[in-house]
Amino acid sequence: DRKNRRDNKRSRRARPISQGSGFFVSEDGYVVTNNHVIKGGTGYKVVMTDGTELDAKLVGTDPKTDLAVLKVDEKRKFSYVSFSQKKSRVGEWVVAVGNPFGLGGTVTAGIVSAEGRDIGSGPYDDYMQIDAAVNKGNSGGPAFNLNGQVVGVNTAIFSPSGGNVGIAFAIPASTVEEVVDDLIKSGKVTRGWLGVQIQPVTKDIAESLGLDDTNGAIVAEAQSDSPAAKAGINAGDVILTVNGIVVESPKTLARTIADYEPNETVKI
């Protein structure tokens, strides 16, 4: 009996299970979640709110924005949600839906606390901060506005204690929609690339260069054979705009360039 119990424990340890949240974005079964929820997985199951378990396959992932798409193949039409086409504003109400601590469907409410947060998770950080209660297991779940449209995907929390302290971060709907479309179409995300190492414009640097403000990104180096080098961009140049879009910081430059398709021409 003891040997059987030990064997059972070993077999359970050999098959770790990750839990998270997700949501359908089409009636034919495409599901959005976080990459870190499914990372390293060999099999995937979608558990519906009524407890029904459905097998799913991985369509594609984008680790740089921590997003992933799964597909459930069932001869049925799924209820699905749509993305908000309007940018959320600080102070607007949001409702977070997910599976905290594996409890099952849970709804919490709060407001948009801030926009454009950089939490150091990747080159395209542009998180919406919300104060709705989000905990482990909520990752990959949607944050809705009061019109029932998805405004973000709940992805991370700031928590010295490990529990909810009212600071959660969601990937904005505009980013999610673009990434999900790419993943569904081709299983991967394609981004524009400039090929420069950059640093921010400080107040002292702005004054020394005669700039009016600290907008822009200083080029530390243009990589050889990169689009930037071929276009004549040199170390010491300050990139201020891309196709008329103001470059507020190095992060802005990275996100703006990434939005263009390879081989597109941009004015810098």
Side-chain angles (χ1 to χ4, degrees):
D1 288 345
R2 287 179 181 172
K3 182 180 182 298
N4 288 339
R5 284 199 295 270
R6 286 198 300 270
D7 289 344
N8 287 338
K9 286 181 180 178
R10 276 198 294 269
S11 66
R12 284 197 296 269
R13 283 198 298 268
R15 296 186 62 188
I17 295 174
S18 170
Q19 289 185 329
S21 305
F23 55 98
F24 286 101
V25 292
S26 69
E27 67 177 15
D28 58 345
Y30 284 100
V31 178
V32 174
T33 187
N34 279 141
N35 176 61
H36 76 259
V37 170
I38 58 86
K39 186 178 180 181
T42 55
Y44 311 96
K45 283 189 181 294
V46 171
V47 182
M48 308 290 280
T49 52
D50 62 3
T52 304
E53 293 189 7
L54 303 172
D55 289 328
K57 64 180 180 181
L58 183 61
V59 174
T61 67
D62 182 39
K64 290 183 177 179
T65 55
D66 197 8
L67 289 167
V69 174
L70 301 171
K71 177 71 164 63
V72 177
D73 289 320
E74 289 278 320
K75 291 183 179 179
R76 58 187 282 188
K77 292 184 177 180
F78 293 98
S79 297
Y80 65 96
V81 295
S82 59
F83 293 105
S84 172
Q85 300 304 309
K86 292 176 60 179
K87 183 178 175 65
S88 297
R89 296 188 299 172
V90 173
E92 286 187 356
W93 283 95
V94 289
V95 176
V97 181
N99 179 36
F101 303 113
L103 291 171
T106 299
V107 179
T108 54
I111 61 169
V112 177
S113 304
E115 294 280 357
R117 291 296 198 210
D118 181 351
I119 63 174
S121 67
Y124 307 116
D125 277 17
D126 184 24
Y127 287 97
M128 176 172 65
Q129 182 184 325
I130 62 176
D131 69 349
V134 170
N135 288 286
K136 292 179 180 178
N138 272 111
S139 290
F144 291 99
N145 60 21
L146 296 189
N147 293 322
Q149 299 165 323
V150 176
V151 294
V153 173
N154 304 317
T155 298
I157 60 173
F158 175 78
S159 177
S161 65
N164 167 60
V165 294
I167 299 179
F169 302 101
I171 306 167
S174 56
T175 299
V176 180
E177 192 168 22
E178 289 179 5
V179 170
V180 168
D181 283 347
D182 279 355
L183 292 177
I184 290 175
K185 289 175 183 175
S186 61
K188 61 182 181 179
V189 176
T190 303
R191 295 183 172 93
W193 175 64
L194 190 59
V196 289
Q197 294 181 11
I198 49 180
Q199 60 190 56
V201 178
T202 65
K203 187 176 180 180
D204 289 342
I205 291 174
E207 289 179 357
S208 68
L209 295 176
L211 299 173
D212 295 331
D213 49 45
T214 57
N215 284 339
I218 300 174
V219 177
E221 180 186 353
Q223 295 169 285
S224 60
D225 292 328
S226 68
K230 292 174 182 176
I233 294 176
N234 300 306
D237 287 346
V238 182
I239 298 176
L240 299 174
T241 63
V242 177
N243 277 355
I245 300 169
V246 175
V247 175
E248 297 175 352
S249 67
K251 284 282 187 182
T252 306
L253 177 62
R255 288 194 296 266
T256 303
I257 291 295
D259 285 341
Y260 291 100
E261 292 292 323
N263 295 318
E264 276 191 75
T265 300
V266 295
K267 184 176 181 180
I268 292 178

